Amino acid sequence: MSTEEQAAACGLLRALGEELGPLGPELAAAFRRVPRHMFLPREVWLDEEGDWVSCARDAEPARWLAAAYADAPVVTQVNDGEKARDGEVWPSSSASAPSIVFRMLRMLGPRPGDRILEIGTGTGWTAGLLAALLGDENVTTVDVDPALTEAAVRSLKALGLRPAVATADGAGGFPSSAPYDRIIATCSVRRLPYAWVEQTRPGGIVLTPWETPWFCYGLLRLHVGGDGVASGRFAPHSAFMLMRGQRTDLRIYRDVVRDEHIPKESATGLDPWLVAGADADARFAVGLRLPDVWHAWHHRPDVPGVATRLWLATTDATSWAAVDWDGTPDAREYTVWQYGDRRLWDEAEAAYKWWAGQGRPPVGRFGLTVTPDGGRAWLDDPSRSWVL
């Protein structure tokens, strides 16, 4: 590495130690063995006031290197690798923030000799770290995008690392190399594929970022039993791109609301920002209680007397609701519109009040149990569960 690259890497290592505590000799050695900048493409995209702006290594080497060694995610692909349409740019793959990568490695707890499957190769950096920790022969990584796996193989080989890299839909795991002692996903899921449980040895671990249509947040660490059941708790502080096979592309005015819809009007005294605002614990709980409902904020809609509107809709686009704030400071009442077979604001209000009535539990008190028949979320104990 160049002097500039070495200095940047040392700075990130110090930052990780401050954020996570000492990494320990094994993780620190893997970090030095597998430099992050070696896994980033020559063009990345950085967030500039809400817009994704290209940053090319050849044109802006200092800015590119700073992004490579910042403790922040870096977008490495946009629009699934296709050209932008109508100027719309949206992230489709990224290099996760280094602190979350190392936190997940600690949560995964790989032991010498463990066989690991990674779902979501991305840049290949996590696979490289795992190979440095456990040996090439114990690491398999898969990604659905051949452009990503091909680039990852090149980066890994440049460092003398040769874990098994395959282009495949990670929702099916990778049965030809199963069973595994640990499975780690670097994309979020809304439904945990049971294939991951089937391909993990009894006593093994499945670790994945979690998402509901309501809120992308949390890590799920499951212990796999010998009875085909996996169960474990959520942990906070993560947000990953959703597994491609579980994406939904829905927009309120394009897919949900129609001119012929006649909603029913009512009112609520519950502040919509409490249900869908800054409180991550509340949003996480509402998402678990309403696993097929999503929301979107619309500020300054072209509606007389409405300053901000909160939209809610089902993922099948058959029911929707809107909650309007008229701009009055410390408002005590909000207008509600609801359409369809379900009264979504009523459901969201009930979910929030249930969470508040349970003592406002944080994310870590929730868990999930996965069986061949599906998943059940729970609070504190699997006996207090509901179908997810």
Side-chain angles (χ1 to χ4, degrees):
M1 292 198 297
S2 68
T3 301
E4 293 82 2
E5 291 164 350
Q6 289 177 347
C10 288
L12 176 57
L13 188 60
R14 286 194 299 272
L16 293 176
E18 293 171 0
E19 174 73 16
L20 303 173
L23 294 184
E26 293 84 6
L27 284 178
F31 176 90
R32 296 187 182 95
R33 172 78 174 82
V34 188
R36 189 180 189 228
H37 77 275
M38 293 288 290
F39 291 84
L40 296 186
R42 302 192 74 83
E43 181 183 24
V44 298
W45 287 261
L46 306 178
D47 186 358
E48 290 188 1
E49 299 181 354
D51 293 325
W52 295 104
V53 178
S54 170
C55 175
R57 184 176 187 176
D58 295 338
E60 301 178 277
R63 186 169 177 238
W64 184 93
L65 186 63
Y69 284 104
D71 187 16
V74 179
V75 172
T76 55
Q77 184 195 70
V78 295
N79 300 25
D80 286 340
E82 302 293 333
K83 290 185 178 180
R85 297 179 182 177
D86 301 322
E88 183 179 17
V89 175
W90 47 274
S92 54
S93 188
S94 68
S96 302
S99 58
I100 189 63
V101 171
F102 281 90
R103 188 158 69 90
M104 289 180 69
L105 289 176
R106 281 180 169 175
M107 292 178 68
L108 187 69
R111 304 157 302 186
D114 275 354
R115 291 177 51 76
I116 308 292
L117 172 64
E118 180 196 25
I119 308 294
T121 306
T123 66
W125 190 47
T126 299
L129 293 168
L130 287 167
L133 287 168
L134 301 169
D136 294 337
E137 68 280 5
N138 290 318
V139 179
T140 300
T141 180
V142 300
D143 200 293
V144 72
D145 190 327
L148 297 180
T149 53
E150 290 167 8
V153 167
R154 290 194 296 270
S155 298
L156 290 162
K157 284 185 176 179
L159 294 171
L161 297 168
R162 289 175 171 76
V165 182
T167 301
D169 184 353
F174 198 66
S176 62
S177 297
Y180 306 97
D181 299 286
R182 301 283 192 272
I183 291 181
I184 180 173
T186 56
C187 54
S188 63
V189 297
R190 294 177 176 176
R191 301 174 304 278
L192 191 122
Y194 189 70
W196 299 359
V197 178
E198 289 181 307
Q199 293 173 29
T200 303
R201 287 192 179 98
I205 299 294
V206 175
L207 178 65
T208 181
W210 183 256
E211 176 174 329
T212 62
W214 191 266
F215 191 30
C216 177
Y217 192 71
L219 293 169
L220 175 62
R221 188 176 189 268
L222 297 173
H223 296 260
V224 177
D227 55 358
V229 175
S231 190
R233 291 184 180 271
F234 293 98
H237 309 311
S238 74
F240 283 72
M241 293 182 185
L242 185 64
M243 176 177 281
R244 292 191 185 185
Q246 295 187 13
R247 288 177 183 171
T248 53
D249 180 18
L250 293 171
R251 302 186 187 185
I252 290 292
Y253 291 114
R254 187 191 68 188
D255 305 306
V256 180
V257 177
R258 298 285 183 265
D259 291 340
E260 64 269 20
H261 290 176
I262 303 176
K264 292 185 178 180
E265 182 181 357
S266 59
T268 182
L270 179 61
D271 184 338
W273 278 273
L274 293 177
V275 182
D279 191 326
D281 291 328
R283 292 171 66 190
F284 182 84
V286 170
L288 280 185
R289 299 293 286 185
L290 303 177
D292 64 341
V293 180
W294 57 284
H295 73 277
W297 287 98
H298 190 175
H299 301 291
R300 296 182 296 279
D302 188 16
V303 180
V306 179
T308 298
R309 171 171 283 176
L310 172 65
W311 288 101
L312 297 78
T314 53
T315 52
D316 64 5
T318 59
S319 296
W320 59 264
V323 185
D324 291 341
W325 175 56
D326 62 8
T328 303
D330 301 319
R332 298 192 176 204
E333 188 172 89
Y334 305 84
T335 302
V336 177
W337 308 91
Q338 300 188 90
Y339 173 84
D341 294 334
R342 294 169 60 181
R343 295 294 179 258
L344 293 189
W345 176 252
D346 294 350
E347 293 184 23
E349 187 168 342
Y352 175 83
K353 290 181 176 178
W354 171 86
W355 171 77
Q358 298 296 322
R360 303 175 180 270
V363 172
R365 284 178 56 188
F366 289 93
L368 183 73
T369 297
V370 179
T371 71
D373 297 324
R376 295 187 68 89
W378 41 267
L379 175 64
D380 293 329
D381 186 89
S383 64
R384 304 173 62 190
S385 68
W386 59 92
V387 175
L388 191 61

